[in-house]
Amino acid sequence: MRLVSLLPSATEIVYALGIGDDLVGVTFECEVPASYRSGTTVVVGGRDTRGMSPGEIDAYVKAQLAAGADLYTLHAGALAGLDPDLILTQDLCRVCALPSGRVADAVDHLGCRAEVLSLDPYTLDDVLESIRAVGAAARVPDRAEALVDGLRARLAAIRAAVAGRPRPRVAVVEWVDPPFGAGHWIPDLVDVAGGEPVGTHPGARSGPTTWDALRATRPDVVLVAPCGFHLDGAAEQAATVAGHFPGAQVWALDADGLIVRAGPRLVDGAEATAAILHPDAVPPPHPQAARRIT
């Protein structure tokens, strides 16, 4: 089967299922594993926002969306030349990837025979079900079932390790300029890790807020996990956040690696979060997973 992934998290799912050799097309943001681009065509491009501040990125995104413009570019000719059997995409967030409607229109226009599977999870359970959906569409349902069973077992182990302990109040900042309270599956990760999520939007899109509103939730711990950034970028931003929360622990997290991409590594994120909240019950996080700021 010839697979095209238009979503970094879907690329991670494909490799976790052991079918990375079937992947013929990816996006410019796909990065797991590091060797993925060898012989793999990049079929979705976009603006390189490295070097832009969070405020500049926010202004750029708002301007593009207000103009009705896409944030990503589908290289339709490259897609057609790959002759895929299955294309993995999403409708969850226009800021994160090309909407599936654009992909379906291109497939119809090009006369491709590919199946288009849209992955749109809003909760942690939805993410696990999306892995099953990819496995079924890619004709490896048994692998998907085994992968999900393993991930659920790890989540159960985290819950058991922190059971009965006091649950600190945890605010997760998904963007810093303007501040966004985290949504989708992120509150589920905090809950699994033994925390009480505050200022979040469980099972819904993340949304803008204010520092005053977040401070009013009285968090004991603030996790800064800005979408699109790994640990060093998150730590730089978390340093600017710390002043808003005197008395709270402020941590930076590898957002793209552990928190915001709806794939198997979310369980790594739950483990890292549990280690922050309950360091005497869970092994410490990997040095590149989290960093304490205050």
Side-chain angles (χ1 to χ4, degrees), residues 13-109:
I13 291 172
V14 166
Y15 277 99
L17 292 173
I19 51 176
D21 288 346
D22 294 337
L23 199 60
V24 295
V26 294
T27 83
F28 76 110
E29 291 182 319
C30 295
E31 60 186 14
V32 173
S35 61
Y36 79 95
R37 284 190 180 173
S38 177
T40 306
T41 301
V42 176
V43 293
V44 170
R47 181 168 177 175
D48 186 351
T49 57
R50 288 176 296 182
M52 296 172 66
S53 70
E56 289 169 340
I57 295 172
D58 181 72
Y60 164 70
V61 168
K62 287 178 177 176
Q64 289 292 102
L65 296 180
D70 286 327
L71 297 170
Y72 297 86
T73 302
L74 177 63
H75 305 311
L79 179 64
L82 294 174
D83 190 26
D85 300 299
L86 175 64
I87 300 173
L88 304 173
T89 184
Q90 63 93 52
D91 279 322
L92 190 67
C93 177
R94 286 186 64 191
V95 178
C96 297
L98 195 73
S100 65
R102 294 279 197 273
V103 179
D105 289 346
V107 167
D108 290 342
H109 176 72

Side-chain angles (χ1 to χ4, degrees), residues 46-215:
R47 181 168 177 175
D48 186 351
T49 57
R50 288 176 296 182
M52 296 172 66
S53 70
E56 289 169 340
I57 295 172
D58 181 72
Y60 164 70
V61 168
K62 287 178 177 176
Q64 289 292 102
L65 296 180
D70 286 327
L71 297 170
Y72 297 86
T73 302
L74 177 63
H75 305 311
L79 179 64
L82 294 174
D83 190 26
D85 300 299
L86 175 64
I87 300 173
L88 304 173
T89 184
Q90 63 93 52
D91 279 322
L92 190 67
C93 177
R94 286 186 64 191
V95 178
C96 297
L98 195 73
S100 65
R102 294 279 197 273
V103 179
D105 289 346
V107 167
D108 290 342
H109 176 72
L110 296 167
C112 293
R113 57 186 176 86
E115 175 187 355
V116 177
L117 176 62
S118 181
L119 306 175
D120 301 303
Y122 276 85
T123 67
L124 186 55
D125 279 341
D126 289 347
V127 173
L128 298 177
E129 288 306 313
S130 73
I131 293 173
R132 286 196 175 99
V134 173
R139 302 172 191 164
V140 288
D142 292 345
R143 294 188 188 185
E145 196 66 33
L147 175 59
V148 170
D149 285 348
L151 295 172
R152 286 197 182 279
R154 289 171 60 193
L155 291 169
I158 300 168
R159 288 189 184 276
V162 302
R165 293 172 173 270
R167 301 176 71 87
R169 297 170 62 82
V170 182
V172 183
V173 180
E174 199 174 336
W175 197 252
V176 303
D177 187 12
F180 268 61
H184 302 118
W185 49 82
I186 296 176
D188 296 339
L189 297 181
V190 172
D191 179 71
V192 168
E196 179 186 348
V198 297
T200 56
H201 309 272
R205 297 180 188 275
S206 60
T209 183
T210 65
W211 296 118
D212 285 343
L214 281 175
R215 193 163 43 247

